[in-house]
Amino acid sequence: MKAKSRIAELIRKYKHAWVFLYIFIYMPWFMFLEKHVTTRYHVIQIRLDEHIPFIEYFIVPYLMWFVFIIAVFLYFFFTDVPGFYKMAKFMFTGMTIFLIISTLFPNGQDLRPVVFERDNIFVDMVRTLYRADTCTNVFPSLHVFNSLSACIAISESDALRKRRGVCIGAYILAGLIILATVFLKQHSVLDVLGASVMAYVLYQFVYAPQKRRMPKYARQKRPVL
C-alpha cells in the first residue's frame, strides 16, 4: 500500500509530465520530413554565408545544445511548474511552426564543405554530424530558437535571475551555440534571423501579457542583469 501511495503521490506531483507527449507529434512529423525532403527544396542562403569561414571547433558548443536544453527543461520541471508550462508552450509552439513551414515550404542549404582543409577529432565529429543530420529542414533554425527559448525562460525566472553566474553562463553558451550553427555550415544567417524573429513574436504572446498585467512598481523592483 505504501508503494502505491508513493506512486500516486509522484503522479500527482509530476502530472505536468504530460507535456512531454508532444514528442509523439514532433518526432514522427520531423522524421517524415527528413526522409522525404531530400532533393527538391528551396535553398535558404545568402552571399554573406559564403564569407563565413568553417570552424570545426564550434562542434563542441553545438553538441552542448542538447545538454543545455534538457538541463533547463528539467530545472523548470522540478522547481517551477508555471515556468515549465510557459517554456513548453513557447518552445513547442515554435517547433510546430517550424514543422509547418518545412512541410509547406521545403527548404535546405548547400553550404557544407565537400573537402575539409584540416583533419582532426573535431572535423571527425562534424563528419559524423553531417551523416546523422541532413542539410534540409533548416528554416528557422531550431538550434537557435530553442537556445533563445531557454534564455528567455531563465531571464523570466525570479529565482534564476538572482543567480548572475547561471544567467551569464547560459547566455554565453547560447551565444556560442548560435554562432556554431553558421560556423559549422549547419545553417544560413537567414535561419538564425528567422528563429530570432519567431522567438520575438512568440514572446509577445507567451511572456509579455503577464508583464503588462503586472503593476508598474512590481516590474521596477525585479532585478535586472
Side-chain angles (χ1 to χ4, degrees), residues 8-151:
E9 181 183 346
L10 288 174
I11 291 174
R12 285 195 299 271
K13 185 175 181 180
Y14 299 116
K15 59 181 181 296
H16 50 290
W18 70 268
V19 169
F20 292 121
L21 292 175
Y22 175 75
I23 195 70
F24 295 107
I25 298 175
Y26 177 81
M27 285 307 300
W29 194 345
F30 178 75
M31 295 307 298
F32 173 84
L33 292 172
E34 285 287 277
K35 184 178 180 180
H36 291 85
V37 181
T38 55
T39 54
R40 290 180 147 183
Y41 55 81
H42 299 84
V43 177
I44 305 292
Q45 58 194 64
I46 57 178
R47 184 167 298 179
L48 175 60
D49 294 310
E50 300 172 5
H51 297 285
I52 298 175
F54 170 80
I55 302 178
E56 68 271 22
Y57 307 110
F58 273 98
I59 188 65
V60 176
Y62 188 88
L63 294 179
M64 287 181 67
W65 173 83
F66 297 95
V67 178
F68 178 47
I69 299 303
I70 292 173
V72 176
F73 243 127
L74 290 180
Y75 170 82
F76 282 97
F77 178 81
F78 288 110
T79 67
D80 182 357
V81 175
F84 170 79
Y85 274 125
K86 281 190 177 181
M87 182 180 177
K89 180 180 180 181
F90 187 94
M91 191 176 292
F92 294 166
T93 299
M95 291 166 68
T96 303
I97 292 173
F98 157 78
L99 291 172
I100 293 172
I101 291 174
S102 296
T103 301
L104 301 180
F105 185 75
N107 57 82
Q109 49 93 346
D110 300 320
L111 297 169
R112 293 178 174 182
V114 178
V115 178
F116 295 95
E117 297 180 359
R118 295 173 293 278
D119 189 15
N120 52 50
I121 187 174
F122 301 102
V123 170
D124 291 339
M125 294 168 69
V126 173
R127 288 194 182 102
T128 301
L129 172 65
Y130 285 178
R131 287 194 294 268
D133 188 16
T134 70
C135 60
T136 58
N137 307 311
V138 295
F139 181 87
S141 168
L142 283 189
H143 250 66
V144 173
F145 174 75
N146 287 348
S147 296
L148 293 174
S149 300
C151 286

Side-chain angles (χ1 to χ4, degrees), residues 151 154 160-161 163-175 225:
C151 286
I154 290 171
L160 289 180
R161 192 186 294 103
R163 305 177 66 175
R164 292 178 61 89
V166 172
C167 293
I168 293 173
Y171 301 154
I172 291 175
L173 177 57
L225 282 176

